[in-house]
Structures are given as C-alpha cells and as structure tokens.
Amino acid sequence: MSTFYVTTPIYYVNDVPHLGHAYTTIVCDTLARFHQMRGDDTRFLTGTDEHGQKIEEAAHKRGLTPAQLVDQVAPRFDDAWKTLGIADYRFIRTTGERHKRVVAELWKRIRRENPDDIYLASYQGWYCVGCEAFYTESQLVKDAEQWVCATHKRAVAWLDKERSWFFRLSRFAAPLLAHIEAHPEFIRPDAYRNEIVAFLRSGLRDLSVSRTSFAWGIPVPEPDPEGLAHVIYVWMDALTNYLSDLCPDDGTIGGPDVARYWPEALHVIGKDILRFHAVYWPAFLMAANLPLPKGIFAHGWWTVRGEKISKSLPATRIDPVVLSDALGAGSAHGRAIGIDAMRYYLLREVPLGNDGDFTFESLFGRFNAELANDLGNLINRSLTMLTKFGAEFPPAFDAAAHAAEGPARQLEQAAVEASAQAVACFEAVQPSRALEAIWRFVGVANRFIDQTQPWAMGKAKDPALRHTLWALRASLWAIARMTAPVLPAASQALRAWIGDDGPLAWPVAREGSVLVHAPANLGSSPPSPLFPRLDDKAQAAILEKVVGLAAVPTPPPAPATPEEKPAAATIDYDAFGKIELRAGKVLTAVAVPKAKKLLHLSVDLGEAQPRSIVAGIAEAYAPDAIVGRTVIVVANLAPATIRGIRSEGMILAAGDEAILGLSALDRDVPPGTRVR
Ligand code: ME8
C-alpha cells in the first residue's frame, strides 16, 4: 500500500470562502478520493491561516479582537467544505495549541542545527500586508508616485528600520537548485519550476522572519537582548501547518505520522503563493535538517471577465454554495448534483496549472453537452433497455461474444484504455485529462448502443441481447467508479441504480479486461435524470441566483388605519419606501483633485457595473481606510455631476458640518442587499 498526503493552502480568515478557495479544495478532494479508491493510505489537510498583521487589521476594521474574528470566520471555511461534501479532510487552525508549539519548535530546531541561520538585524523596506510579504522595488509597480503591490493593486507600506530576526535565506539558493535538479517533480507544472529556477539563479536575500510592530502571532521562542517582543513572521508560522498537523500534541517534530506521511506530502497551491512554498518553506526545512515535501503543484487563477476572483474584488466573487444550489435546482438530487456539476466544470475546463476565465456560457455548455447529453443520455438509455428487456433476457456475460471482433470488443478496449489513462492522469495531477479519457469511454459506450440497437434485438427476440445488456451494465459500473473522484453524488446514485454495493475501488484491468470484473447480479431501478438539461429558463434562474441582485423585500404594508393623519415632521411608510437604501461595498477610493472634502468612490451594489459616487468624507477618511467597507448607499438618488465627476448615489454618514462616522453594517451582506 502506498501513502498519499495532500494539502490545500490554509486560507486567510479576513474574508469568507469563494470559488477560488473552493477550486483548490476540490482539486485536493478529487485526488484524495482517487487515491483512497486505489487503496492508498490517504491523508488530506486543509485549514485556516489566522495570525499576522492582515488579520489583526481586518479585526480592528470590524471592531473585533483578532481572536474574536478568527473564531467567527474559521468555522465558515469548515462549514463551506462540509456543505460542499468535501470528504475526510483534517482541518487545522494556526491558533491551535499544537500548531503553535510546533512552530516554536521549528524555530528552536533551526537554532540548534544551524545557529547562524537566524540572526538579529534591522529591516527597512516595503511590505504588502495583503500578501504579508517583503518586496524590493523591482517587484512592485509604480502608480502615481506610489509603489503598489502587483497582486493587491494597493500601496505597500514602508517599514523603517524595524528590528527583526532574519533567516539566512541567501545560503539556500544553491542547495535548492540542486534539489530541484535531482527531483524534477518537486515543482510542477514545468513552467512554474522554470520560474523558480530563474528566481533562485538571480540570488536570494535574507528574509526578515519576525515582526515587532504588532502582536497577533506566535512569540519568537528566544529573548531579544534589547527586550523587544517579536512574533514569528506569518508565513513561517503558516507553512509549518503542513507538518504540525502530523506531530504529537506536545509539539515534538516527529512521531509515527510524520514518518509515514511527511515524505509523501503534496502541496497543491495557487500560483500566487508559489515562492513561499517552493523557496522559503524548503529552505526553512533544510535549515532545520528536516526532509522536504515530495512536491508542490501550482495551479492558475480563475478570473471573471478577466479579473482574478478575490476578496478585494467583490464583483468577481462567486459563492460556491450558492452556485451549486442553483445548478442542482432542477435535479431530484438537488445541491449534491449541483456540486458535482461545479466540480466537473472546474476540473474539466482548464488543465491544472493554467488560468481559466469563469463564464456561464462555458459552464452551461459543458453541463448540457457533457453531463446532460453524453453521460446523462448514456445512463438513461442503458437503464431503459435494462428495465425493458432485462426480465426476458437476463444480462449474461458471453465469453465468445466478448472476444469476437465487434462492438463489445471495442467497448472492452475502450474501457481498458480509459481506466489506464485516467489512473496515469490522476497520478500526474491532471484531472482535466483524466476526465477527457473517461469521456472518450462514455462516447464509445453511447456508440455501442447505436451500433447494437438493443431495442431492435429485443423486438427480434435475439438471444445475443443478454450479452449486450450485460455489456451496458458493466459499462455503467465502470463509469460509476471512474467518475467517483470527480462526481461523488452522481457516481453514488448510479451505483445504487445498478446495485453496485461493493467497496468503492478503482476498476482496473485484470487479464486484459476491465468490464468482465463488474459484479454479477446487478439489479436496476427506474432512474430520474441526474443532470436535467438546463434550458433558457433554468439558465436565467441560475444567473439570477448567483449574480443577480439580492431579493428586494416587498415594501412594508401601509398603516392599518389610513385615515389617521401622520403627525407633523414624520413621513409615512410609502414615503420611506421610496428611498432605496442598499448595502454597497467600496471597491476603490481616490481623492478628488483640488477638493479637500471629496473622495471619488466606486461602489459595488451587486449590479453589472460598480457605481461612481462622490462623497464628502475626505476630511474624516483616508481612501485606504474605506476600501473594502460595506456602507449604506441611497441608490435611487437622481445622478448629479460634482466637480465634473458623475455621482450615482449617496453614502450615509453621521455628522452635520464635519463627518463623524460612516454608515456600516455589522456583518458582510451581498452588495446590493436592500436596507430598510
Ligand atoms: O494565500 N483562482 O491564503 P488565501 C484560483 N493564507 N485559486 C484561488 C483564487 C483564484 N482566483 N483565489 C484564491 C493565502 N485561490 C495564505 C496561504 S499556505 C501556508 C498560506 C486559492 O486565503 C489558491 O489556492 O489568500 C490560492 O493560493 C489560495 O486560495 C489563497 O488563499
């Protein structure tokens, strides 16, 4: 039995899960399910990254302590994965006691094994809180006299001579290059390996691995001679999760799980965090004289209309739970089938490693062509034939018919090929190619029905129908199993229909045959379509649910006694109902030139385009302080032009002359939600 250990990045808890997070988690889930089916000793880890300046700032923005924020948000990731049916994962939080012990232990171990690899100095330079990363100017972009992070498109902060512990990263360029050369599979796909090799060849600078300017982190486990309190750099803390989850509770780095799983670790990550995983992490491990993980697989970014799906761009955010609910609405199996369809689309649409643009056209296209048509029709047609003729012609394997030149033999060959190719592709972390191989078999099975015409055989009372029906049933059996890693719910339903209640193992060829190993005596029961075709109406309903405006509540009823005149200086419900207040998320904010009170904002109200709004709040709020906030917007105010800028709404704020406070909601609601 082999061992397989797969990890997702641990996600930041400064916001809630979106489709980008779901993607990595689904990739890992698929690989874990596949290896489980192959009989491998499988372990799958995900979790949340809860320390650092970014989390501390996010908490303060919400008026919470960091501990309160992380305790609120971490379960939302765990819940999302449970709702999405992610199987048998372990969930680690970096605020957990064991993790904190292991991180301190890793630090001490580096100091023991290679004392000079960590030293005190002072750091001066740029820092992006979004990435929690130090940058040189050559890694940043200049925008209107400011250095801006290329990923977060926001100004970076200058850290001025912050006293810090440094890690001697510069020592590791050569050993890392040697490791990559000796293990070509260490960084995949190739393009990312080449990127890291080029980065290493250009030389490495030592890395600041502690911070003193904030406190939300794991304390450095040794005193600073000047008495300053340091917390460990959040990436050193976060990366250690992959190891700490395997360690015993006392924080020792070792024990049976480390021995068993660590050498097999595969880190699946987005390309945005490749350098941390492919350079910093192995260097920390080398300095501690610990073995490296087996590999790192970086995937590309999902975009929406070309913009990366991210927390900072709400217009790109798609909630995976809402999407799967909407996709499964037409199926008797509901969300479970919606989840399968979403998994299928994400895994099939782009080869792992490439970027992909999420579009509803391609999602609906694949749903209808590949799930409803190719797979759905095969299932429906096969089960119909089995139900209709199975009693008169009980399916039976006929060795001679199976071996003879003809459709059954082609079917068998296609099954053998699909199984072997899918195994190779899943093992090589190429789920899109595995699905292509399986769908080639689905195509051959559909052709088998066209060629053999079981309905005509039934009519002609042809006894060969018994073998034909057997072959159809065996094909469904093979397909149910081969699709199980990607389509767990559809696979389970299909297996129930054909009576496959054996342990869920991969269908392998033995003595040149896959199909002949299908269990005998399969029963069948009447199906309901797994993936009902999405017609125009269904597509419109999905769009409405996933990207449409949040439902607008009906206006409150008029007062019960209309003859009662409202008192002076009050307005009635009707008048209030005419004011359309909506939650809006501030996407960007810039000062209006020569107007010291004005900021020009773009605000997401859940519409196709963000609104342009000019607000008189510049004296009270710096642009940076309001980006990302959810405010209350008067959405139906007549547009006006202020200082030559079109303003399409008003933001509610407190204060007469001077602005004293900005309207806010105490929790995140989808942009566009009505406020009343
Ligand atoms: O980086 N397309 O956490 P994070 C594809 N805490 N994948 C995406 C994506 C997109 N548009 N957006 C996010 C962190 N992801 C650190 C990791 S690990 C020791 C610490 C996925 O919450 C992708 O896997 O910003 C990416 O690497 C990860 O979410 C970033 O999540």
Side-chain angles (χ1 to χ4, degrees), residues 611-668:
R611 299 260 187 123
S612 157
I613 296 180
V614 178
I617 55 172
E619 285 176 319
Y621 290 93
D624 256 357
I626 75 158
V627 169
R629 285 211 199 187
T630 298
V631 292
I632 299 174
V633 178
V634 184
N636 60 343
L637 197 66
T641 301
I642 304 174
R643 298 280 175 132
I645 303 169
R646 186 174 163 81
S647 184
E648 304 163 324
M650 187 170 97
I651 285 184
L652 295 190
D656 268 341
E657 278 304 302
I659 296 292
L660 302 174
L662 202 57
S663 63
L665 293 165
D666 68 353
R667 63 186 64 175
D668 254 2

Side-chain angles (χ1 to χ4, degrees), residues 558-644:
T561 47
E563 60 280 6
E564 257 178 40
K565 282 262 177 286
T570 62
I571 57 168
D572 61 16
Y573 275 102
D574 272 357
F576 176 68
K578 285 186 191 140
I579 304 173
E580 197 184 306
L581 300 176
R582 290 193 186 275
K585 187 134 185 166
V586 181
L587 303 179
T588 60
V590 286
V592 175
K594 299 200 193 95
K596 64 183 186 355
K597 288 194 171 179
L598 300 182
L599 289 185
H600 179 199
L601 316 176
S602 63
V603 182
D604 181 9
L605 286 188
E607 299 162 322
Q609 292 289 331
R611 299 260 187 123
S612 157
I613 296 180
V614 178
I617 55 172
E619 285 176 319
Y621 290 93
D624 256 357
I626 75 158
V627 169
R629 285 211 199 187
T630 298
V631 292
I632 299 174
V633 178
V634 184
N636 60 343
L637 197 66
T641 301
I642 304 174
R643 298 280 175 132

Side-chain angles (χ1 to χ4, degrees), residues 199-391:
F199 180 69
L200 291 170
R201 288 206 177 120
S202 71
L204 296 177
R205 294 152 50 106
D206 289 354
L207 177 71
S208 165
V209 285
S210 77
R211 302 288 309 275
T212 55
S213 54
F214 65 95
W216 182 241
I218 301 173
V220 169
E222 64 179 298
D224 171 334
E226 290 182 10
L228 275 178
H230 296 250
V231 292
I232 295 178
Y233 175 43
V234 63
W235 273 101
M236 191 174 196
D237 165 350
L239 288 159
T240 307
N241 88 87
Y242 303 131
L243 192 55
S244 70
D245 189 63
L246 300 170
C247 295
D249 280 346
D250 65 5
T252 319
I253 302 181
D257 286 348
V258 171
R260 192 145 128 214
Y261 296 106
W262 181 243
E264 296 303 321
L266 169 68
H267 302 320
V268 178
I269 56 166
K271 65 179 182 179
D272 47 336
I273 53 175
L274 178 60
R275 194 168 14 117
F276 303 100
H277 284 80
V279 179
Y280 298 179
W281 178 226
F284 297 151
L285 291 166
M286 281 177 171
N289 284 337
L290 285 165
L292 304 193
K294 189 166 191 174
I296 296 151
F297 200 106
H299 63 67
W301 282 348
W302 278 98
T303 55
V304 170
R305 292 186 295 275
E307 292 280 3
K308 183 186 173 215
I309 296 178
S310 73
K311 307 171 223 243
S312 44
L313 292 174
T316 63
R317 217 156 40 173
I318 291 172
D319 182 328
V321 174
V322 176
L323 177 63
S324 33
D325 273 338
L327 280 173
S331 163
H333 300 260
R335 178 194 289 156
I337 278 298
I339 294 170
D340 278 12
M342 175 175 79
R343 293 167 67 101
Y344 179 82
Y345 171 73
L346 292 174
L347 295 175
R348 176 80 189 260
E349 179 75 1
V350 286
L352 202 69
N354 295 7
D355 292 338
D357 197 44
F358 178 96
T359 67
F360 284 94
E361 294 82 63
S362 57
L363 171 64
F364 296 154
R366 286 200 183 273
F367 189 111
N368 282 342
E370 289 153 31
L371 295 174
N373 263 12
D374 296 347
L375 179 62
N377 283 349
L378 173 66
I379 296 172
N380 290 340
R381 291 163 85 197
S382 305
L383 290 181
T384 307
M385 293 300 126
L386 281 160
T387 315
K388 196 161 172 195
F389 301 117

